[in-house]
Amino acid sequence: MKNIFFILCLFFSVNLFAQKTFLKRNLEVGMTVHINKCKSKAFVSMDIYSKTRYPATGIKIDTLTGDGVFESFFDSGDFDAKRLPASYGNKNYKVAVIRVFDEKDGKQKRVMICYTKSKLTLIWIEIDKAFELNEIEF
């Protein structure tokens, strides 16, 4: 009985350690994220944003640092947004920018924006939720 209890404790502590390791892992602009295969029609923690109208000045993004992604893509012009379809699963995407937003309840929401093949389409990923649901890997 003690051996079974020990094995269960070991299993849960290793699992918790793996989750903490992810949360402390350095996420960086330019790294690759793998979006896993989707088990339904759309992902739960990810959205796709397509720019439909942009300012006359164009979209200016520094792809090395991620500077300009939010300002150029989300501040001006128009865009369409919807849940990320399953067809985007089982593929790798380059991280454009990572941001942390303060929520009303005092918690923080970590968000990662990834590039797609289209320059006018980006993927919005709620990092912690996506990892918890096993929708992404690094």
Side-chain angles (χ1 to χ4, degrees):
M1 187 67 170
K2 288 182 183 179
N3 289 339
I4 293 172
F5 179 72
F6 176 74
I7 291 171
L8 286 174
C9 287
L10 182 64
F11 173 76
F12 286 116
S13 64
V14 169
N15 189 22
L16 290 173
F17 176 74
Q19 288 180 2
K20 287 182 182 180
T21 301
F22 164 76
L23 295 175
K24 291 182 180 181
R25 182 175 179 178
N26 289 334
L27 302 174
E28 298 177 3
V29 171
M31 70 184 289
T32 301
V33 62
H34 180 79
I35 296 180
N36 293 324
K37 188 175 180 178
C38 186
K39 297 172 182 133
S40 62
K41 291 183 179 183
F43 289 92
V44 175
S45 65
M46 295 179 261
D47 298 317
I48 188 158
Y49 286 81
S50 299
K51 194 75 166 164
T52 56
R53 185 178 61 85
Y54 46 92
T57 58
I59 298 174
K60 299 174 185 173
I61 297 173
D62 183 344
T63 56
L64 293 176
T65 64
D67 290 342
V69 171
F70 277 91
E71 297 77 14
S72 292
F73 202 86
F74 297 107
D75 283 350
S76 56
D78 297 327
F79 54 84
D80 288 333
K82 63 181 181 179
R83 285 288 176 205
L84 185 68
S87 60
Y88 282 81
N90 203 28
K91 296 177 186 163
N92 295 326
Y93 298 92
K94 184 178 177 184
V95 176
V97 69
I98 299 168
R99 287 275 173 99
V100 178
F101 296 100
D102 292 326
E103 295 186 316
K104 292 180 182 180
D105 61 2
K107 294 182 181 179
Q108 292 185 325
K109 181 189 292 189
R110 298 187 318 155
V111 172
M112 173 173 32
I113 304 296
C114 292
Y115 294 114
T116 64
K117 291 180 182 179
S118 170
K119 291 184 179 183
L120 298 178
T121 303
L122 298 174
I123 300 172
W124 175 288
I125 302 172
E126 293 184 28
I127 300 170
D128 299 313
K129 187 175 182 181
F131 184 74
E132 189 176 298
L133 294 171
N134 198 31
E135 292 183 335
I136 60 171
E137 294 177 4
F138 298 101

